[in-house]
Amino acid sequence: MSSLELKERVFKPVPAFRGKRRGAKAAPAAGSKKTEITVPKAIKRVIKVSDVIQVGELAKRMGIKAGEVIKKLFGLGIMATINQSVDIDAATLVAQDFGYEVERVGMEIVEEMLEETADISGNKVLRPPVVTVMGHVDHGKTSLLDAIKQTDVAAGEAGGITQHIGAYHVELDKGDLVFLDTPGHEAFTAMRARGAQVTDFVVLVVAADDGVMPQTVEAINHARAANVPIIVAVNKIDKPGANPDKVRQSLSEHGLQPEDWGGDTIFVNVSAKQRTGIKELLEMIILQAEVMQLMANPDKFAKGTIIEAKLDKGRGPVATVLVQEGTLKIGDPFVAGVHYGRVRAMLDDKGAKVLEAGPSMPVEVQGLPGVPQAGERFVVVSDEKKAKEIGTYRQMKQRETELSKSSKVSLEDLYNKIKEGEVKELGIIIKADVHGSVEALTESLQKLSTDAIKLKVLHGSVGAITETDVLLAAASNAIIIGFHVRPDVKVQALADEEGVDVRLYSIIYEVTEDVKKAMEGLLAPTIKEVVLGRAEIREIFSVPKIGNIGGCFVTDGKITRGAMIRLIRDGIVIHDGKPASLRRFKDDVKEVQSGYECGIGIENYNDIKTGDVIEAYIHEKIAAKL
Ligand code: GDP
């Protein structure tokens, strides 16, 4: 594909509101930054340095000119320019001369510094508001988001096809807005629980024929707790039984007084179904955003929040980043949680390639080595080395905290251990194919806690079960639950060696049932899955009328004709079924041992790729161990 064929869009780093310009407002931040020379109080004359510090930075922190510092260093026999770094000893000597003390600190300080990247300019611009839609189930959140997408003037460009990247950028004549695409307050609060505040407005959807319901109230509380202003969309006004005034009345009782009743809450009547009132609603939000003067500086390293992240079958880990400050560019080195890397490619919500993304722009980023969590900060740093340093430091920290979290057990012997008072807490590590499952499992498992035993999810994330997971489980006496994901051979071997119970499921209900039974000592006799062996697909043969046959190499164990098989791509189970054929050369065979090649066809399934792994397994009944 030539690059000309790729549709490249550049998100202008200055996505200010077009149209409306009410009176000349002085740009507040521009030019207001003067170099202030103040002498800090004695107690504050301490400079925190990790291992090294840049000359310019050292000077800045002491409030003196860099030249002074360079001169002093020269006096010490150290030739350094403003951009070079000196070690902590040199920094200490220089600082003393200026009446400062140098304090050595760990990487924590580097973390803090991440939070305050310097502005390249004081140029702040209006940025589009970011909106979350909340409300009671069936009141029309999803319908409203759909209706909003249809008002987008840019949607036409990409043929109206929108990608689900977790956020959606809407362009209107009066300005732009960004909607978080996952309605519901769980997503909103889960993100907030991780310290991320991305939403500027909550649109509270209330069905005019149903009125204020429990989740309506819950949504109000969530928005209030986050200090986010609420705009009410009274939906379904097309319905015969609609009573928008009643909604206003009930919401007033919850502290949301309509503007036209003397309050300060904006209410807009809409019908998501008939697409009426949608534009008014959006314009109200834009107007409100203008009043709030939501500003951001596009001229700095980008900083944002992970809105959604997943392991994409073809592209590996991808994450939607909502840029909140600065401009994100291709090639930027970044840290996102414990992950670090370089931005390899970016797609917008219409699926078009973008080269830059300014404040409030959601983009799907490629270039992550792993899947970060929704709500985690995404921060661009000056160079890859620094990104690596911070990422590695965080991984170490995470391991430390996870290791220190708790005390070894399997579901089968859980009941006995509880009875003997050996176990009061069951640590669980959850690995799944999507974040939603991690969250759902975490919630439903933790709910099973009783007075006798507390269930505690030590770690939950998206991706295959790794050696780190097994080690964490071993160290914390936890079990591992794999949901639609698998451990590879090496990892399974380690788990066996360490005695870690790895449970694999594909139905949430079965997970909770098993755990519940285990807690009551009823989990047995149990059906246990035994993996017979694995084969890697090295070539695909298309056979007319039959379909695709994988030219395989059995890497371990054996593959048998009678076993069940599952197809695994990047650690994720993408199909579970039966072999349709197992052949060596032209002959049908019953089994193929490790080290041999064979052809495997999968019953009713054709979408195989080279590199996929076929795992053969059987179900075995295990007697109760009581
Ligand atoms: P959610 O659970 O809040 O996301 O609600 P949905 O968007 O899934 O809508 C629930 C039901 O209400 C669906 O059957 C919609 O077709 C219907 N609905 C949504 N908005 C309207 C509307 O404005 N008018 C009417 N008559 N029905 C609507």
Side-chain angles (χ1 to χ4, degrees):
M1 203 189 318
S2 92
S3 61
L4 276 176
E5 286 172 50
L6 294 170
K7 192 163 165 230
E8 294 189 338
R9 287 159 54 108
V10 176
F11 274 143
K12 302 242 165 43
V14 188
F17 296 97
R18 287 157 292 147
K20 242 186 193 140
R21 287 270 175 276
R22 284 177 309 177
K25 255 176 246 148
S32 66
K33 267 212 165 153
K34 281 194 213 103
T35 330
E36 287 175 15
I37 301 170
T38 48
V39 179
K41 289 193 195 99
I43 197 151
K44 276 198 164 170
R45 295 174 76 94
V46 173
I47 298 165
K48 295 186 173 164
V49 176
S50 61
D51 287 324
V52 292
I53 183 166
Q54 257 192 354
V55 171
E57 180 66 30
L58 179 63
K60 195 171 127 205
R61 294 222 212 137
M62 296 190 293
I64 56 173
K65 291 209 173 76
E68 297 281 305
V69 174
I70 294 171
K71 231 186 327 186
K72 275 275 183 299
L73 283 166
F74 189 74
L76 295 168
I78 301 168
M79 313 282 266
T81 64
I82 184 162
N83 291 321
Q84 280 174 339
S85 297
V86 293
D87 64 15
I88 190 157
D89 297 333
T92 308
L93 290 172
V94 173
Q96 267 171 6
D97 283 354
F98 293 103
Y100 281 81
E101 255 176 61
V102 167
E103 188 187 322
R104 191 186 188 121
V105 290
M107 283 294 283
E108 286 89 352
I109 192 75
V110 177
E111 296 260 346
E112 271 171 37
M113 274 150 54
L114 272 186
E115 286 307 310
E116 38 183 86
T117 46
D119 292 15
I120 298 166
S121 77
N123 171 32
K124 284 204 171 186
V125 296
L126 280 176
R127 61 168 179 83
V130 181
V131 181
T132 302
V133 175
M134 298 211 252
H136 194 73
V137 65
D138 277 348
H139 278 196
K141 299 181 289 291
T142 316
S143 310
L144 183 65
L145 279 167
D146 287 345
I148 287 166
K149 285 178 189 170
Q150 305 235 329
T151 59
D152 185 2
V153 294
E157 286 174 30
I161 302 165
T162 60
Q163 306 288 112
H164 177 85
I165 69 165
Y168 190 82
H169 172 229
V170 188
E171 280 179 38
L172 291 176
D173 302 333
K174 298 234 162 78
D176 297 4
L177 309 102
V178 173
F179 279 82
L180 295 191
D181 216 349
T182 346
H185 47 242
E186 294 89 348
F188 176 82
T189 301
M191 212 173 278
R192 217 164 63 74
R194 290 181 202 114
Q197 177 89 307
V198 295
T199 309
D200 299 308
F201 291 101
V202 162
V203 166
L204 180 67
V205 181
V206 188
D209 61 334
D210 202 22
V212 173
M213 299 301 276
Q215 284 169 291
T216 315
V217 178
E218 215 172 88
I220 297 174
N221 292 338
H222 281 252
R224 285 224 175 101
N227 234 338
V228 176
I230 299 172
I231 290 174
V232 182
V234 182
N235 192 28
K236 307 199 189 184
I237 50 157
D238 59 289
K239 279 201 148 180
N243 191 345
D245 271 353
K246 194 165 156 236
V247 172
R248 282 172 172 75
Q249 181 64 47
S250 329
L251 283 177
S252 295
E253 288 161 20
H254 286 95
L256 295 177
Q257 281 268 356
E259 268 187 327
D260 37 358
W261 292 9
D264 54 10
T265 306
I266 297 168
F267 278 67
V268 183
N269 287 348
V270 301
S271 163
K273 197 170 184 177
Q274 300 189 334
R275 314 254 187 259
T276 53
I278 308 295
K279 225 168 167 174
E280 289 77 2
L281 173 69
L282 300 184
E283 285 173 8
M284 276 300 190
I285 301 173
I286 290 171
L287 210 70
Q288 206 47 29
E290 278 189 312
V291 173
M292 280 166 65
Q293 289 274 300
L294 302 171
M295 312 284 275
N297 185 343
D299 301 329
K300 63 196 303 192
F301 288 149
K303 234 185 251 175
T305 299
I306 306 281
I307 299 297
E308 213 176 77
K310 63 178 180 202
L311 196 58
D312 185 275
K313 277 162 198 154
R315 297 177 296 157
V318 291
T320 300
V321 176
L322 179 81
V323 178
Q324 291 168 293
E325 266 183 75
T327 300
L328 183 62
K329 304 184 177 107
I330 301 280
D332 277 352
F334 66 83
V335 196
V338 300
H339 305 287
Y340 59 89
R342 245 176 210 286
V343 177
R344 227 173 35 223
M346 294 195 281
L347 292 183
D348 67 8
D349 50 359
K350 321 275 185 304
K353 276 202 152 204
V354 288
L355 303 174
E356 302 194 334
S360 289
M361 288 303 148
V363 276
E364 194 179 61
V365 171
Q366 267 176 269
L368 289 137
V371 182
Q373 305 219 333
E376 266 176 336
R377 300 284 291 154
F378 178 99
V379 181
V380 170
V381 293
S382 52
D383 55 85
E384 227 168 344
K385 205 172 133 240
K386 191 163 172 193
K388 183 176 174 184
E389 216 175 308
I390 296 166
T392 324
Y393 169 75
R394 288 184 180 171
Q395 285 168 12
M396 197 186 74
K397 274 273 174 217
Q398 188 189 47
R399 224 167 287 145
E400 270 173 25
T401 41
E402 280 176 355
L403 286 181
S404 64
K405 263 187 197 161
S406 104
S407 75
K408 204 165 175 172
V409 36
S410 75
L411 275 195
E412 270 128 20
D413 65 6
L414 181 64
Y415 181 66
N416 289 335
K417 289 215 165 148
I418 300 174
K419 248 187 2 201
E420 288 157 18
E422 256 185 64
V423 176
K424 292 213 159 43
E425 196 175 278
L426 175 65
I428 305 174
I429 292 166
I430 299 173
K431 295 304 286 265
D433 55 342
V434 292
H435 270 301
S437 306
V438 175
E439 273 163 20
L441 279 166
T442 305
E443 202 181 307
S444 41
L445 284 171
Q446 274 167 347
K447 267 198 211 138
L448 294 179
S449 292
T450 64
D451 289 341
I453 181 148
K454 198 172 153 219
L455 302 192
K456 195 169 164 188
V457 176
L458 302 178
H459 177 67
S461 68
V462 173
I465 299 168
T466 63
E467 287 176 311
T468 320
D469 296 329
V470 174
L471 292 174
L472 172 62
S476 333
N477 203 11
I479 64 164
I480 299 179
I481 290 182
F483 193 73
H484 284 294
V485 298
R486 323 277 311 157
D488 68 14
V489 192
K490 249 171 50 205
V491 174
Q492 185 62 54
L494 182 67
D496 293 344
E497 195 180 302
E498 297 280 344
V500 169
D501 194 7
V502 177
R503 299 257 163 178
L504 306 167
Y505 296 91
S506 49
I507 298 171
I508 292 197
Y509 169 77
E510 287 180 354
V511 182
T512 47
E513 271 307 290
D514 269 12
V515 173
K516 226 183 337 193
K517 282 191 197 143
M519 289 164 66
E520 292 161 0
L522 300 173
L523 185 76
T526 171
I527 306 277
K528 197 169 169 151
E529 181 188 306
V530 180
V531 173
L532 299 178
R534 294 170 186 86
E536 194 186 299
I537 303 183
R538 302 213 164 150
E539 224 173 309
I540 313 279
F541 301 99
S542 232
V543 184
K545 290 205 187 113
I546 292 185
N548 287 339
I549 300 291
C552 300
F553 180 80
V554 182
T555 51
D556 69 288
K558 61 181 181 185
I559 306 290
T560 66
R561 180 70 179 80
M564 303 281 293
I565 54 172
R566 53 171 73 90
L567 188 71
I568 300 158
R569 191 170 295 159
D570 297 322
I572 294 179
V573 180
I574 53 174
H575 178 74
D576 212 329
K578 286 186 175 153
S581 62
L582 180 65
R583 288 187 162 191
R584 277 206 32 85
F585 303 104
K586 291 205 148 39
D587 307 321
D588 281 313
V589 291
K590 278 218 173 94
E591 62 172 63
V592 180
Q593 292 285 346
S594 131
Y596 290 94
E597 287 177 339
C598 60
I600 303 176
I602 305 178
E603 213 174 86
N604 304 322
Y605 195 80
N606 249 330
D607 178 28
I608 54 174
K609 291 203 166 91
T610 50
D612 288 356
V613 171
I614 291 177
E615 184 177 86
Y617 67 98
I618 51 167
H619 283 136
E620 220 174 61
K621 214 171 193 168
I622 309 262
K625 269 198 288 178
L626 282 173

